[in-house]
Amino acid sequence: MDLTAVLLRVAAARPRVLLVTTPGGTSVRLAAEGELRMRDWPLVSTPAGADLMVVAGPGCPRLQSALERLWQDMPAPRVCVRATAADDVSSILDAACARLSSPGRQRTEARRTADEFRHHEPGRPGGTGAEGGQDAETDHEADHGEPGDGDHGGHRESDAEGGHPGGEREGDDANREGRDDHAGHEVPHGKPEHGGKRPTDQGSPDEHESHGGGHGNEDMEMPGGFPMAERGEDRDGLTLDRLHVPLGPFLADWPAGLTIRTVLQGDVIQQADLDEPPADRSADPFWARPWLRAAAGEPVTRGEAARRRAAAHLDSLARLLSVAGWPAEAVTARRLRDDLLTEAPVSMVLPRVERHARRVGRSRTLYWLTRGVGPLSAADARAAGVSGPAARAGGDVPARYRQWLSDVMHDVRQLDDTAPLDPVAQESPRGRWDAERPPSAALTGVLCGLLVGAELGAARLVVASLDPDPDELAVRPAEVARG
């Protein structure tokens, strides 16, 4: 008996899946989540626990080095596949299962996957391995109880995200930080950044600048690749280590491709800067499609727009609930989202939405975990050009998720509205639609300001409660006509 073949067949029967979303891959991610849930294939949070990595979305050469590191962190047996269209997800998962169960294919899997992704990404820089990169996490389908009961809770557990004193580095240790929690920081190849300097891209070490930082050892690294932290005064006048920690681009329940570079002292964010989102792909703002179509002159009903907007809010709410450590209700939100996207009638969805809204909106545990985090007043939001739920909520994280719940119930009641959509008068999920300045541009504009002074563990909650869509930022007026 070939024991290896038997064990591979057992693993392939129900592989553990790491789902990674690239920019422009929202529709593929939604299809993959539904298919994996139907097959009862468990989703895992780290590459160390994965048998199969599914990359949802088109290729993005700028992020390829991060994907490669993620692949390298996966233990054998392993398989990596990419789905670029929602209709292809099922067949791609079947093919991945066959590859995972074959001993012969496993022996050549690393070389095969590298060749495949060179084919998909003809412009990417050279490198070894296949899709790898940084830690990413996916929604956990099975859990119970109130927020904080899960293994990846809110801002308390997230203190292990890699920003606490201890000299964690941006590169390899950013992956280790992601294994502990929802870290999933960007993993550039080469030396970490110090002293206010940072690499302009994720290229080879030779492309990065040498480190400054005031400790007199600009090029020195500790054994194992640990960098030496620089020092600086914090807001209390104490001299503490300053660590440069990027958040993103591949992190579960995180806007796909978004990267925020932070400077930490202790576990407090002293500086936050947003990287430009990758633009080397076709823009596909999935959640704003009805507004793009209406702006291009296509007939779109208010009911259709309300259905897409409610589904978008439920998707955002699921991200927040997962980050806060309430995976059971996160799964409920995703199921409701999927029902809306598959044209479920009002009579079927409304009672479940109301029940979900009562449970989440009245949860004292969730409120206490998130209160006071990321406050944004209505006046400040309007001054920054923010519209939509974030502006109407006018408060902290609880105010924003409760606004989502209220908007979802309102939109579900409007699913049968056949009046034509006015893309200017009716808001898109993130706010008033404007192709020149999409609503997510204003959200990202206020995001870094809200992060400064916050604990690193709270950063995930702030981002999830605003949930900007990087795909909107790539939309150009000339693309509106194509929808």
Side-chain angles (χ1 to χ4, degrees):
M1 175 183 295
D2 187 345
L3 183 58
T4 299
V6 172
L7 293 176
L8 285 176
R9 283 197 298 270
V10 171
R14 193 169 180 262
R16 297 164 296 176
V17 181
L18 185 67
L19 181 60
V20 182
T21 307
T22 60
T26 299
S27 60
V28 185
R29 169 178 66 85
L30 298 175
E33 288 178 356
E35 183 69 22
L36 293 171
R37 185 163 53 242
M38 184 179 65
R39 296 178 182 227
D40 194 28
W41 288 7
L43 289 162
V44 299
S45 60
T46 66
D51 306 310
L52 169 62
M53 183 167 75
V54 178
V55 182
C60 184
R62 181 175 173 181
L63 301 179
Q64 182 63 25
S65 61
L67 287 171
E68 288 177 355
R69 182 64 62 85
L70 185 55
W71 168 257
Q72 292 164 6
D73 286 346
M74 288 177 61
R78 60 181 182 174
V79 168
C80 181
V81 294
R82 182 191 293 278
T84 58
D87 294 339
D88 297 336
V89 169
S90 180
S91 60
I92 286 175
L93 292 180
D94 289 338
C97 196
R99 289 165 60 180
L100 185 61
S101 63
S102 171
R105 291 184 178 183
Q106 282 301 309
R107 296 187 183 100
T108 58
E109 187 61 42
R111 176 172 54 83
R112 184 199 311 275
T113 311
D115 293 342
E116 288 175 358
F117 278 87
R118 270 190 283 271
H119 173 73
H120 282 294
E121 317 244 8
R124 74 173 183 86
T128 60
E131 297 208 43
Q134 99 184 73
D135 283 349
E137 297 172 327
T138 53
D139 59 311
H140 296 262
E141 293 273 328
D143 210 312
H144 58 277
E146 287 279 311
D149 292 341
D151 293 333
H152 56 292
H155 55 281
R156 295 180 182 176
E157 278 188 281
S158 295
D159 289 343
E161 289 184 359
H164 51 70
E168 303 289 315
R169 85 183 190 108
E170 294 175 25
D172 293 339
D173 276 4
N175 282 317
R176 179 169 12 155
E177 293 153 9
R179 297 183 188 108
D180 292 337
D181 205 309
H182 266 275
H185 305 323
E186 174 187 320
V187 185
H189 282 187
K191 298 178 182 178
E193 50 189 288
H194 297 290
K197 295 178 181 290
R198 74 171 189 235
T200 58
D201 206 340
Q202 296 180 354
S204 64
D206 295 337
E207 296 170 351
H208 295 178
E209 298 178 346
S210 62
H211 310 314
H215 46 61
N217 296 296
E218 289 84 355
D219 296 323
M220 180 179 293
E221 292 188 358
M222 298 294 286
F226 283 81
M228 295 183 67
E230 65 183 60
R231 291 190 175 186
E233 288 190 359
D234 74 346
R235 56 187 177 181
D236 296 324
L238 301 175
T239 301
L240 299 175
D241 289 343
R242 293 168 59 88
L243 303 177
H244 296 252
V245 179
L247 305 178
F250 297 127
L251 179 62
D253 305 306
W254 181 269
L258 187 72
T259 303
I260 301 175
R261 298 184 180 273
T262 65
V263 178
L264 302 176
Q265 287 186 303
D267 62 349
V268 177
I269 297 176
Q270 303 292 347
Q271 180 180 335
D273 298 299
L274 186 71
D275 273 7
E276 287 294 327
D280 48 347
R281 39 110 179 129
S282 300
D284 181 25
F286 175 83
W287 299 115
R289 280 180 186 173
W291 286 263
L292 286 169
R293 291 168 49 210
E298 293 186 30
V300 180
T301 66
R302 290 186 180 182
E304 180 182 351
R307 183 178 292 274
R308 183 62 62 94
R309 185 169 51 224
H313 290 335
L314 287 167
D315 186 63
S316 298
L317 183 64
R319 293 176 186 265
L320 177 62
L321 293 172
S322 183
V323 171
W326 204 355
E329 289 303 313
V331 171
T332 300
R334 290 186 175 103
R335 290 183 182 276
L336 291 169
R337 172 203 68 192
D338 293 345
D339 288 343
L340 286 170
L341 292 175
T342 54
E343 306 296 326
V346 177
S347 58
M348 172 182 156
V349 178
L350 183 58
R352 296 164 55 211
V353 165
E354 291 175 337
R355 185 164 57 249
H356 177 67
R358 285 194 300 269
R359 181 162 172 77
V360 173
R362 297 177 183 178
S363 171
R364 295 182 180 180
T365 306
L366 181 62
Y367 171 77
W368 280 90
L369 281 171
T370 59
R371 65 171 184 162
V373 176
L376 177 65
S377 67
D380 290 342
R382 288 193 297 269
V386 176
S387 57
R392 293 197 303 274
D396 53 5
V397 169
R400 289 194 282 273
Y401 72 68
R402 286 171 175 169
Q403 185 66 53
W404 279 337
L405 292 169
S406 176
D407 288 354
V408 167
M409 288 190 293
H410 176 269
D411 284 336
V412 169
R413 295 187 179 101
Q414 308 300 316
L415 297 184
D416 296 329
D417 190 345
T418 58
L421 171 67
D422 183 345
V424 177
Q426 278 82 45
E427 291 183 342
S428 69
R430 269 77 181 179
R432 290 187 299 273
W433 181 255
D434 182 354
E436 296 286 350
R437 181 175 169 80
S440 288
L443 291 175
T444 55
V446 301
L447 178 57
C448 290
L450 295 180
L451 294 178
V452 174
E455 294 182 359
L456 180 61
R460 290 294 317 277
L461 292 170
V462 175
V463 175
S465 68
L466 292 175
D467 198 25
D469 185 1
D471 292 339
E472 290 184 0
L473 306 180
V475 174
R476 294 179 291 275
E479 292 176 329
V480 171
R482 296 200 298 267

